[in-house]
Amino acid sequence: MKTADLFGTALTNTLRSKLRTILTVIAIVIGAFALTLTSGLGAGVNRYVDTMVEGFGAPDELYVSKQADMVTGMPTNSAPAEYDAEEAGAGEMFGMPLLTQKDVDTIEGIEHISEVETTRLVEPDYVQTADGKKWQVAFMGSSFETETASTAAGRMPAEDADEVTVPLAWVETLGGRDPEDVLGETVTLVASDPLGEEGSVEAEVVGVTETLASGSGAGPVPSVKVEEALHEIQTEGLPEEQRDTWFNATVTVQDMEANEAAVKQALADEGYTAQTLEDQLGMIRGVIDAVTWVFNGFGLIALLAASFGIINTLLMSVQERTREIGLMKSLGMTSGRVFGLFSMEAVVIGLMGSLIGVGGGLAVGLVGNRLLVDGPLKDVTGLQLFAVEPLSVLGIVALIVGIAFVAGALPAVRAARKDPITSLRYE
């Protein structure tokens, strides 16, 4: 019997007991569906993260901030360090200690670092619109985002102008229906100095930013001029060394591949945390992959249950076809061919279940992705919740077929070992 004939015979045999085969296939479909859906979700979210940060940073850059335990000028769980007026009271932002000019000088002095660019973040109390209403600012962007943020309308602020962008979600707040409606509006950004005295900066809305994973578009993005003005207000009255602070620094490393480890270690020794863009993305991907594997576990459990179903189905089939096995052997069919026939039946069951399950998972994932992206999540630019990766799909099908083959091996061995004479006498 040729291989093609073997496959055809196996397909016919699996349909002899339709109900039993269907129930076994359903268990495989559930596992294949779960694996396809979760792997597609993981791939989609990872791809979205990659897309959103595309263009942010460069391969030879490190993002440097002060370690949290250095905010008071001494490490935790240690003897007190000598008092340093420049470090004391340098302040925090979003729970992170700020960099001072002394920190910047220290970073610039580290070997293999060729350039240091500092980043300031400001925290205005509120934004006042032309109608006099005051709106709370949950998140304020940074001027460095003007090179990478995406706009739904208008443009990003010019460096030396009193300009600002607003997020897409603010369009209705500013009285517009479409993003273009709010361009040219004037808003007032109000901040307080350390004594609580308010100061303000007026800025023209020149663009509407789309919401990105990095935070761009989640709040107003000021020009450098506006950002500096707000910083001056917030630090008014403080000693000069405390006014001259930054949220973090971006450093350029000479020959990053060769010197990355040495520069990171040197920065760590000085009390700084340094990460590449890949380091930051690695943590995000790690969380996504961990969640994906948890859900994949449920699919594998379903496949494990399905494998016992295959064993049971084929054992019953072997029992019912004992005389048929004896006849095939009497007509010259070898034990190897008998083993191959019953193994092929298991593969056929696995193949049917995997194709239906994978097809269903792809259909639900793609349709669900489209409905969510065009519906409740339409304001999230570039969002992709589900992605099809051909190699992953083929891997799932191959995994299920392999599990089915292994599960079918026991019944197939039992069929191959049957004595033809004894089998022909079986009632």
Side-chain angles (χ1 to χ4, degrees), residues 242-307:
Q242 294 182 23
R243 300 187 72 183
D244 212 10
T245 55
W246 296 271
F247 184 66
N248 63 14
T250 302
V251 305
T252 303
V253 179
Q254 301 168 345
D255 192 1
M256 172 67 92
E257 187 174 350
N259 299 319
E260 179 181 349
V263 172
K264 282 184 176 180
Q265 185 58 53
L267 287 167
D269 292 342
E270 295 290 345
Y272 305 103
T273 299
Q275 291 183 317
T276 63
L277 185 62
E278 279 301 314
D279 292 334
Q280 298 173 15
L281 290 181
M283 294 185 289
I284 299 173
R285 292 195 188 104
V287 173
I288 295 170
D289 291 343
V291 173
T292 300
W293 275 109
V294 169
F295 284 106
N296 279 342
F298 292 108
L300 292 173
I301 291 172
L303 291 178
L304 180 63
S307 67

Short mmCIF file of all heavy atoms in Angstrom, two decimals, residues 242-307:
data_model
loop_
_atom_site.label_atom_id
_atom_site.label_comp_id
_atom_site.label_asym_id
_atom_site.label_seq_id
_atom_site.Cartn_x
_atom_site.Cartn_y
_atom_site.Cartn_z
N GLN A 242 20.23 73.98 42.67
CA GLN A 242 19.02 73.17 42.72
C GLN A 242 18.08 73.49 41.55
O GLN A 242 17.23 72.68 41.19
CB GLN A 242 18.30 73.38 44.06
CG GLN A 242 19.07 72.86 45.25
CD GLN A 242 18.31 73.02 46.55
OE1 GLN A 242 17.09 73.12 46.56
NE2 GLN A 242 19.04 73.05 47.66
N ARG A 243 18.22 74.67 40.97
CA ARG A 243 17.40 75.03 39.82
C ARG A 243 17.90 74.32 38.57
O ARG A 243 17.13 74.00 37.67
CB ARG A 243 17.43 76.54 39.59
CG ARG A 243 16.89 77.35 40.76
CD ARG A 243 16.79 78.82 40.40
NE ARG A 243 15.70 79.05 39.47
CZ ARG A 243 15.42 80.24 38.94
NH1 ARG A 243 16.15 81.30 39.25
NH2 ARG A 243 14.42 80.39 38.10
N ASP A 244 19.20 74.10 38.52
CA ASP A 244 19.81 73.50 37.33
C ASP A 244 19.76 71.98 37.45
O ASP A 244 20.75 71.31 37.74
CB ASP A 244 21.26 73.98 37.21
CG ASP A 244 21.69 74.10 35.76
OD1 ASP A 244 20.83 73.99 34.88
OD2 ASP A 244 22.89 74.30 35.53
N THR A 245 18.56 71.40 37.25
CA THR A 245 18.37 69.95 37.38
C THR A 245 17.68 69.40 36.15
O THR A 245 16.97 70.12 35.43
CB THR A 245 17.52 69.62 38.62
OG1 THR A 245 16.28 70.33 38.56
CG2 THR A 245 18.25 70.00 39.90
N TRP A 246 17.86 68.08 35.94
CA TRP A 246 17.29 67.42 34.78
C TRP A 246 16.69 66.07 35.19
O TRP A 246 17.13 65.46 36.16
CB TRP A 246 18.35 67.19 33.70
CG TRP A 246 18.89 68.47 33.15
CD1 TRP A 246 18.41 69.18 32.09
CD2 TRP A 246 20.02 69.20 33.62
NE1 TRP A 246 19.16 70.31 31.89
CE2 TRP A 246 20.16 70.35 32.81
CE3 TRP A 246 20.93 68.99 34.66
CZ2 TRP A 246 21.17 71.28 33.00
CZ3 TRP A 246 21.93 69.93 34.86
CH2 TRP A 246 22.05 71.05 34.04
N PHE A 247 15.73 65.62 34.42
CA PHE A 247 15.06 64.35 34.70
C PHE A 247 15.98 63.18 34.40
O PHE A 247 16.09 62.24 35.18
CB PHE A 247 13.76 64.26 33.88
CG PHE A 247 12.95 63.03 34.17
CD1 PHE A 247 12.35 62.85 35.40
CD2 PHE A 247 12.77 62.05 33.20
CE1 PHE A 247 11.60 61.72 35.67
CE2 PHE A 247 12.02 60.92 33.46
CZ PHE A 247 11.43 60.76 34.69
N ASN A 248 16.61 63.19 33.23
CA ASN A 248 17.58 62.15 32.88
C ASN A 248 18.50 62.69 31.79
O ASN A 248 18.36 63.85 31.37
CB ASN A 248 16.90 60.84 32.45
CG ASN A 248 16.06 61.00 31.19
OD1 ASN A 248 16.17 62.00 30.48
ND2 ASN A 248 15.22 60.03 30.91
N ALA A 249 19.40 61.85 31.36
CA ALA A 249 20.35 62.26 30.32
C ALA A 249 20.49 61.14 29.30
O ALA A 249 20.42 59.95 29.63
CB ALA A 249 21.71 62.58 30.93
N THR A 250 20.67 61.54 28.05
CA THR A 250 20.94 60.59 26.98
C THR A 250 22.40 60.74 26.58
O THR A 250 22.83 61.84 26.20
CB THR A 250 20.04 60.87 25.76
OG1 THR A 250 18.67 60.80 26.16
CG2 THR A 250 20.30 59.84 24.66
N VAL A 251 23.16 59.66 26.71
CA VAL A 251 24.59 59.73 26.42
C VAL A 251 24.91 58.89 25.18
O VAL A 251 24.32 57.84 24.96
CB VAL A 251 25.44 59.26 27.62
CG1 VAL A 251 25.08 60.04 28.86
CG2 VAL A 251 25.25 57.76 27.87
N THR A 252 25.83 59.41 24.40
CA THR A 252 26.30 58.70 23.21
C THR A 252 27.61 58.00 23.55
O THR A 252 28.53 58.63 24.09
CB THR A 252 26.52 59.68 22.04
OG1 THR A 252 25.30 60.37 21.77
CG2 THR A 252 26.95 58.93 20.79
N VAL A 253 27.67 56.71 23.25
CA VAL A 253 28.83 55.90 23.60
C VAL A 253 29.63 55.57 22.35
O VAL A 253 29.07 55.13 21.33
CB VAL A 253 28.40 54.59 24.30
CG1 VAL A 253 29.61 53.74 24.65
CG2 VAL A 253 27.58 54.90 25.54
N GLN A 254 30.93 55.79 22.41
CA GLN A 254 31.80 55.43 21.30
C GLN A 254 31.92 53.90 21.21
O GLN A 254 32.18 53.24 22.21
CB GLN A 254 33.19 56.04 21.50
CG GLN A 254 33.19 57.56 21.61
CD GLN A 254 34.52 58.09 22.10
OE1 GLN A 254 35.38 57.36 22.60
NE2 GLN A 254 34.72 59.40 21.95
N ASP A 255 31.70 53.38 20.01
CA ASP A 255 31.80 51.93 19.78
C ASP A 255 30.97 51.18 20.84
O ASP A 255 31.53 50.47 21.69
CB ASP A 255 33.25 51.47 19.81
CG ASP A 255 33.42 50.04 19.28
OD1 ASP A 255 32.40 49.42 18.89
OD2 ASP A 255 34.55 49.54 19.30
N MET A 256 29.66 51.36 20.77
CA MET A 256 28.75 50.81 21.77
C MET A 256 28.94 49.31 21.97
O MET A 256 28.96 48.81 23.10
CB MET A 256 27.30 51.10 21.37
CG MET A 256 26.25 50.43 22.23
SD MET A 256 26.21 51.05 23.93
CE MET A 256 24.99 52.33 23.77
N GLU A 257 29.08 48.56 20.89
CA GLU A 257 29.18 47.10 21.00
C GLU A 257 30.36 46.68 21.88
O GLU A 257 30.25 45.76 22.69
CB GLU A 257 29.32 46.48 19.61
CG GLU A 257 29.27 44.97 19.61
CD GLU A 257 29.27 44.39 18.21
OE1 GLU A 257 29.11 45.15 17.23
OE2 GLU A 257 29.43 43.16 18.08
N ALA A 258 31.47 47.38 21.75
CA ALA A 258 32.67 47.01 22.51
C ALA A 258 32.68 47.61 23.90
O ALA A 258 33.22 47.00 24.84
CB ALA A 258 33.91 47.45 21.74
N ASN A 259 32.07 48.77 24.07
CA ASN A 259 32.22 49.51 25.33
C ASN A 259 30.96 49.57 26.19
O ASN A 259 30.99 50.17 27.27
CB ASN A 259 32.68 50.95 25.03
CG ASN A 259 34.02 50.99 24.33
OD1 ASN A 259 34.93 50.24 24.66
ND2 ASN A 259 34.13 51.87 23.34
N GLU A 260 29.87 48.99 25.76
CA GLU A 260 28.60 49.10 26.49
C GLU A 260 28.72 48.63 27.93
O GLU A 260 28.33 49.33 28.88
CB GLU A 260 27.50 48.31 25.78
CG GLU A 260 26.16 48.36 26.52
CD GLU A 260 25.08 47.54 25.82
OE1 GLU A 260 25.30 47.11 24.66
OE2 GLU A 260 24.02 47.33 26.43
N ALA A 261 29.26 47.43 28.12
CA ALA A 261 29.36 46.86 29.46
C ALA A 261 30.23 47.72 30.37
O ALA A 261 29.89 47.98 31.53
CB ALA A 261 29.90 45.44 29.40
N ALA A 262 31.35 48.20 29.84
CA ALA A 262 32.27 49.00 30.65
C ALA A 262 31.64 50.33 31.05
O ALA A 262 31.77 50.78 32.20
CB ALA A 262 33.57 49.25 29.87
N VAL A 263 30.92 50.96 30.12
CA VAL A 263 30.30 52.25 30.41
C VAL A 263 29.17 52.08 31.43
O VAL A 263 29.04 52.87 32.37
CB VAL A 263 29.77 52.90 29.11
CG1 VAL A 263 28.94 54.14 29.44
CG2 VAL A 263 30.93 53.27 28.20
N LYS A 264 28.37 51.03 31.25
CA LYS A 264 27.29 50.77 32.21
C LYS A 264 27.84 50.54 33.61
O LYS A 264 27.28 51.04 34.61
CB LYS A 264 26.48 49.55 31.76
CG LYS A 264 25.49 49.82 30.65
CD LYS A 264 24.67 48.56 30.35
CE LYS A 264 23.61 48.83 29.31
NZ LYS A 264 22.82 47.60 29.02
N GLN A 265 28.93 49.79 33.70
CA GLN A 265 29.52 49.51 35.00
C GLN A 265 30.10 50.78 35.63
O GLN A 265 29.94 51.02 36.82
CB GLN A 265 30.63 48.45 34.85
CG GLN A 265 31.23 48.00 36.17
CD GLN A 265 30.20 47.41 37.12
OE1 GLN A 265 29.46 46.50 36.74
NE2 GLN A 265 30.12 47.92 38.34
N ALA A 266 30.74 51.61 34.81
CA ALA A 266 31.31 52.86 35.31
C ALA A 266 30.19 53.78 35.82
O ALA A 266 30.34 54.43 36.86
CB ALA A 266 32.11 53.55 34.22
N LEU A 267 29.10 53.85 35.12
CA LEU A 267 27.97 54.67 35.55
C LEU A 267 27.35 54.11 36.83
O LEU A 267 26.99 54.86 37.74
CB LEU A 267 26.91 54.73 34.44
CG LEU A 267 27.28 55.59 33.22
CD1 LEU A 267 26.32 55.32 32.07
CD2 LEU A 267 27.25 57.07 33.58
N ALA A 268 27.24 52.78 36.91
CA ALA A 268 26.69 52.15 38.11
C ALA A 268 27.57 52.43 39.33
O ALA A 268 27.08 52.68 40.43
CB ALA A 268 26.54 50.65 37.90
N ASP A 269 28.88 52.42 39.11
CA ASP A 269 29.81 52.70 40.21
C ASP A 269 29.64 54.12 40.73
O ASP A 269 29.92 54.41 41.91
CB ASP A 269 31.25 52.48 39.75
CG ASP A 269 31.56 51.01 39.48
OD1 ASP A 269 30.79 50.15 39.96
OD2 ASP A 269 32.54 50.73 38.76
N GLU A 270 29.19 55.02 39.86
CA GLU A 270 28.98 56.42 40.26
C GLU A 270 27.57 56.67 40.79
O GLU A 270 27.24 57.79 41.17
CB GLU A 270 29.26 57.35 39.07
CG GLU A 270 30.70 57.35 38.58
CD GLU A 270 31.63 58.02 39.57
OE1 GLU A 270 31.13 58.73 40.47
OE2 GLU A 270 32.86 57.86 39.45
N GLY A 271 26.73 55.62 40.79
CA GLY A 271 25.39 55.77 41.33
C GLY A 271 24.32 56.07 40.31
O GLY A 271 23.28 56.65 40.65
N TYR A 272 24.54 55.67 39.04
CA TYR A 272 23.57 55.96 37.99
C TYR A 272 23.06 54.65 37.37
O TYR A 272 23.77 53.64 37.34
CB TYR A 272 24.18 56.84 36.90
CG TYR A 272 24.77 58.11 37.45
CD1 TYR A 272 26.15 58.25 37.59
CD2 TYR A 272 23.96 59.17 37.85
CE1 TYR A 272 26.71 59.41 38.11
CE2 TYR A 272 24.51 60.33 38.38
CZ TYR A 272 25.88 60.44 38.51
OH TYR A 272 26.42 61.59 39.03
N THR A 273 21.85 54.70 36.85
CA THR A 273 21.28 53.58 36.12
C THR A 273 21.32 53.90 34.64
O THR A 273 20.89 54.99 34.23
CB THR A 273 19.82 53.33 36.54
OG1 THR A 273 19.79 53.02 37.94
CG2 THR A 273 19.21 52.18 35.75
N ALA A 274 21.85 52.98 33.84
CA ALA A 274 21.95 53.20 32.40
C ALA A 274 21.31 52.04 31.64
O ALA A 274 21.57 50.87 31.95
CB ALA A 274 23.42 53.34 31.99
N GLN A 275 20.48 52.38 30.68
CA GLN A 275 19.80 51.37 29.88
C GLN A 275 19.77 51.79 28.42
O GLN A 275 19.64 52.98 28.10
CB GLN A 275 18.36 51.17 30.35
CG GLN A 275 18.21 50.53 31.72
CD GLN A 275 16.75 50.32 32.07
OE1 GLN A 275 15.90 51.18 31.85
NE2 GLN A 275 16.43 49.16 32.62
N THR A 276 19.91 50.81 27.54
CA THR A 276 19.67 51.05 26.12
C THR A 276 18.17 50.94 25.87
O THR A 276 17.41 50.50 26.73
CB THR A 276 20.40 50.03 25.25
OG1 THR A 276 19.87 48.71 25.54
CG2 THR A 276 21.90 50.04 25.52
N LEU A 277 17.76 51.32 24.68
CA LEU A 277 16.35 51.19 24.32
C LEU A 277 15.93 49.72 24.35
O LEU A 277 14.83 49.37 24.78
CB LEU A 277 16.11 51.78 22.92
CG LEU A 277 14.66 51.82 22.45
CD1 LEU A 277 13.81 52.69 23.36
CD2 LEU A 277 14.59 52.32 21.01
N GLU A 278 16.84 48.84 23.92
CA GLU A 278 16.55 47.41 23.92
C GLU A 278 16.37 46.89 25.34
O GLU A 278 15.56 46.00 25.59
CB GLU A 278 17.66 46.64 23.21
CG GLU A 278 17.56 46.64 21.70
CD GLU A 278 16.25 46.04 21.21
OE1 GLU A 278 15.85 44.97 21.70
OE2 GLU A 278 15.63 46.65 20.33
N ASP A 279 17.15 47.42 26.29
CA ASP A 279 16.99 47.02 27.69
C ASP A 279 15.58 47.35 28.19
O ASP A 279 14.94 46.56 28.86
CB ASP A 279 18.02 47.73 28.58
CG ASP A 279 19.43 47.29 28.31
OD1 ASP A 279 19.61 46.15 27.84
OD2 ASP A 279 20.37 48.08 28.56
N GLN A 280 15.12 48.55 27.85
CA GLN A 280 13.80 48.98 28.29
C GLN A 280 12.71 48.16 27.63
O GLN A 280 11.73 47.76 28.28
CB GLN A 280 13.61 50.47 27.98
CG GLN A 280 14.60 51.36 28.70
CD GLN A 280 14.51 52.81 28.26
OE1 GLN A 280 13.55 53.22 27.63
NE2 GLN A 280 15.53 53.58 28.58
N LEU A 281 12.87 47.88 26.35
CA LEU A 281 11.87 47.07 25.64
C LEU A 281 11.89 45.63 26.12
O LEU A 281 10.86 44.96 26.13
CB LEU A 281 12.15 47.10 24.13
CG LEU A 281 11.88 48.43 23.41
CD1 LEU A 281 12.17 48.29 21.93
CD2 LEU A 281 10.46 48.88 23.63
N GLY A 282 13.08 45.15 26.52
CA GLY A 282 13.19 43.76 26.97
C GLY A 282 12.29 43.47 28.16
O GLY A 282 11.69 42.41 28.27
N MET A 283 12.19 44.43 29.08
CA MET A 283 11.34 44.25 30.25
C MET A 283 9.86 44.17 29.84
O MET A 283 9.10 43.35 30.35
CB MET A 283 11.57 45.40 31.23
CG MET A 283 12.96 45.41 31.85
SD MET A 283 13.17 46.69 33.11
CE MET A 283 13.15 48.17 32.11
N ILE A 284 9.48 45.04 28.90
CA ILE A 284 8.09 45.03 28.43
C ILE A 284 7.78 43.71 27.72
O ILE A 284 6.76 43.07 27.98
CB ILE A 284 7.84 46.22 27.49
CG1 ILE A 284 8.08 47.53 28.22
CG2 ILE A 284 6.42 46.18 26.93
CD1 ILE A 284 8.01 48.76 27.33
N ARG A 285 8.70 43.32 26.83
CA ARG A 285 8.48 42.06 26.11
C ARG A 285 8.44 40.88 27.06
O ARG A 285 7.70 39.92 26.84
CB ARG A 285 9.58 41.87 25.06
CG ARG A 285 9.54 42.85 23.91
CD ARG A 285 10.42 42.35 22.78
NE ARG A 285 10.56 43.33 21.73
CZ ARG A 285 11.63 44.08 21.52
NH1 ARG A 285 12.68 43.95 22.33
NH2 ARG A 285 11.69 44.94 20.53
N GLY A 286 9.28 40.92 28.10
CA GLY A 286 9.31 39.83 29.07
C GLY A 286 7.97 39.64 29.74
O GLY A 286 7.49 38.51 29.92
N VAL A 287 7.32 40.74 30.11
CA VAL A 287 6.00 40.66 30.75
C VAL A 287 4.97 40.11 29.77
O VAL A 287 4.17 39.23 30.11
CB VAL A 287 5.57 42.05 31.25
CG1 VAL A 287 4.13 42.02 31.76
CG2 VAL A 287 6.49 42.52 32.37
N ILE A 288 5.00 40.63 28.54
CA ILE A 288 4.04 40.17 27.52
C ILE A 288 4.23 38.68 27.25
O ILE A 288 3.26 37.91 27.18
CB ILE A 288 4.22 40.98 26.22
CG1 ILE A 288 3.85 42.45 26.47
CG2 ILE A 288 3.35 40.40 25.10
CD1 ILE A 288 4.21 43.36 25.31
N ASP A 289 5.48 38.25 27.09
CA ASP A 289 5.76 36.84 26.81
C ASP A 289 5.35 35.94 27.98
O ASP A 289 4.85 34.83 27.77
CB ASP A 289 7.25 36.64 26.51
CG ASP A 289 7.66 37.27 25.19
OD1 ASP A 289 6.77 37.56 24.37
OD2 ASP A 289 8.86 37.50 24.99
N ALA A 290 5.55 36.42 29.20
CA ALA A 290 5.16 35.63 30.38
C ALA A 290 3.65 35.41 30.41
O ALA A 290 3.17 34.30 30.65
CB ALA A 290 5.62 36.32 31.66
N VAL A 291 2.90 36.47 30.14
CA VAL A 291 1.44 36.35 30.12
C VAL A 291 1.00 35.42 28.99
O VAL A 291 0.10 34.59 29.16
CB VAL A 291 0.80 37.75 29.95
CG1 VAL A 291 -0.71 37.63 29.75
CG2 VAL A 291 1.09 38.62 31.16
N THR A 292 1.66 35.55 27.83
CA THR A 292 1.33 34.69 26.69
C THR A 292 1.55 33.22 27.02
O THR A 292 0.72 32.36 26.70
CB THR A 292 2.18 35.09 25.46
OG1 THR A 292 1.92 36.45 25.13
CG2 THR A 292 1.84 34.21 24.27
N TRP A 293 2.67 32.93 27.69
CA TRP A 293 2.96 31.53 28.03
C TRP A 293 1.97 30.97 29.05
O TRP A 293 1.63 29.79 29.02
CB TRP A 293 4.39 31.41 28.56
CG TRP A 293 5.40 31.26 27.45
CD1 TRP A 293 6.31 32.18 27.04
CD2 TRP A 293 5.55 30.14 26.59
NE1 TRP A 293 7.03 31.70 25.97
CE2 TRP A 293 6.58 30.44 25.68
CE3 TRP A 293 4.91 28.90 26.49
CZ2 TRP A 293 7.01 29.57 24.70
CZ3 TRP A 293 5.34 28.01 25.51
CH2 TRP A 293 6.37 28.34 24.63
N VAL A 294 1.49 31.83 29.95
CA VAL A 294 0.49 31.37 30.91
C VAL A 294 -0.77 30.91 30.18
O VAL A 294 -1.32 29.83 30.45
CB VAL A 294 0.15 32.49 31.92
CG1 VAL A 294 -1.08 32.11 32.75
CG2 VAL A 294 1.33 32.74 32.85
N PHE A 295 -1.22 31.73 29.23
CA PHE A 295 -2.42 31.37 28.48
C PHE A 295 -2.16 30.19 27.55
O PHE A 295 -3.04 29.36 27.31
CB PHE A 295 -2.93 32.57 27.69
CG PHE A 295 -3.63 33.59 28.53
CD1 PHE A 295 -3.03 34.79 28.84
CD2 PHE A 295 -4.89 33.33 29.06
CE1 PHE A 295 -3.66 35.73 29.63
CE2 PHE A 295 -5.54 34.26 29.86
CZ PHE A 295 -4.93 35.46 30.15
N ASN A 296 -0.94 30.11 27.01
CA ASN A 296 -0.60 28.95 26.19
C ASN A 296 -0.67 27.66 26.99
O ASN A 296 -0.97 26.59 26.46
CB ASN A 296 0.81 29.11 25.61
CG ASN A 296 0.84 29.99 24.39
OD1 ASN A 296 -0.20 30.22 23.76
ND2 ASN A 296 2.00 30.50 24.04
N GLY A 297 -0.38 27.78 28.30
CA GLY A 297 -0.46 26.60 29.17
C GLY A 297 -1.85 25.98 29.18
O GLY A 297 -2.00 24.76 29.19
N PHE A 298 -2.88 26.83 29.14
CA PHE A 298 -4.25 26.31 29.11
C PHE A 298 -4.50 25.54 27.81
O PHE A 298 -5.17 24.51 27.80
CB PHE A 298 -5.25 27.45 29.26
CG PHE A 298 -5.24 28.09 30.62
CD1 PHE A 298 -4.71 29.35 30.80
CD2 PHE A 298 -5.73 27.43 31.73
CE1 PHE A 298 -4.67 29.95 32.05
CE2 PHE A 298 -5.71 28.00 32.99
CZ PHE A 298 -5.17 29.27 33.14
N GLY A 299 -3.95 26.06 26.70
CA GLY A 299 -4.10 25.36 25.43
C GLY A 299 -3.39 24.02 25.44
O GLY A 299 -3.90 23.03 24.92
N LEU A 300 -2.21 23.97 26.06
CA LEU A 300 -1.46 22.71 26.13
C LEU A 300 -2.17 21.68 27.01
O LEU A 300 -2.12 20.48 26.74
CB LEU A 300 -0.05 22.99 26.67
CG LEU A 300 0.86 23.80 25.75
CD1 LEU A 300 2.16 24.17 26.45
CD2 LEU A 300 1.15 23.01 24.47
N ILE A 301 -2.84 22.18 28.06
CA ILE A 301 -3.62 21.26 28.91
C ILE A 301 -4.75 20.64 28.09
O ILE A 301 -5.04 19.44 28.19
CB ILE A 301 -4.18 22.01 30.14
CG1 ILE A 301 -3.03 22.37 31.09
CG2 ILE A 301 -5.21 21.15 30.87
CD1 ILE A 301 -3.45 23.27 32.22
N ALA A 302 -5.40 21.46 27.26
CA ALA A 302 -6.47 20.95 26.41
C ALA A 302 -5.92 19.91 25.42
O ALA A 302 -6.57 18.89 25.15
CB ALA A 302 -7.14 22.10 25.65
N LEU A 303 -4.72 20.15 24.90
CA LEU A 303 -4.11 19.19 23.97
C LEU A 303 -3.73 17.90 24.69
O LEU A 303 -3.82 16.81 24.10
CB LEU A 303 -2.88 19.81 23.32
CG LEU A 303 -3.14 20.94 22.32
CD1 LEU A 303 -1.83 21.49 21.79
CD2 LEU A 303 -4.00 20.44 21.15
N LEU A 304 -3.31 18.01 25.94
CA LEU A 304 -2.99 16.81 26.72
C LEU A 304 -4.23 15.95 26.90
O LEU A 304 -4.19 14.72 26.74
CB LEU A 304 -2.42 17.21 28.08
CG LEU A 304 -2.04 16.06 29.02
CD1 LEU A 304 -0.93 15.21 28.40
CD2 LEU A 304 -1.60 16.60 30.39
N ALA A 305 -5.35 16.62 27.22
CA ALA A 305 -6.61 15.88 27.35
C ALA A 305 -7.01 15.26 26.03
O ALA A 305 -7.50 14.12 25.98
CB ALA A 305 -7.70 16.83 27.87
N ALA A 306 -6.78 16.01 24.94
CA ALA A 306 -7.13 15.49 23.61
C ALA A 306 -6.29 14.27 23.24
O ALA A 306 -6.76 13.35 22.56
CB ALA A 306 -6.95 16.58 22.57
N SER A 307 -5.02 14.25 23.70
CA SER A 307 -4.16 13.10 23.38
C SER A 307 -4.69 11.81 23.99
O SER A 307 -4.62 10.74 23.36
CB SER A 307 -2.73 13.37 23.86
OG SER A 307 -2.67 13.41 25.28
#
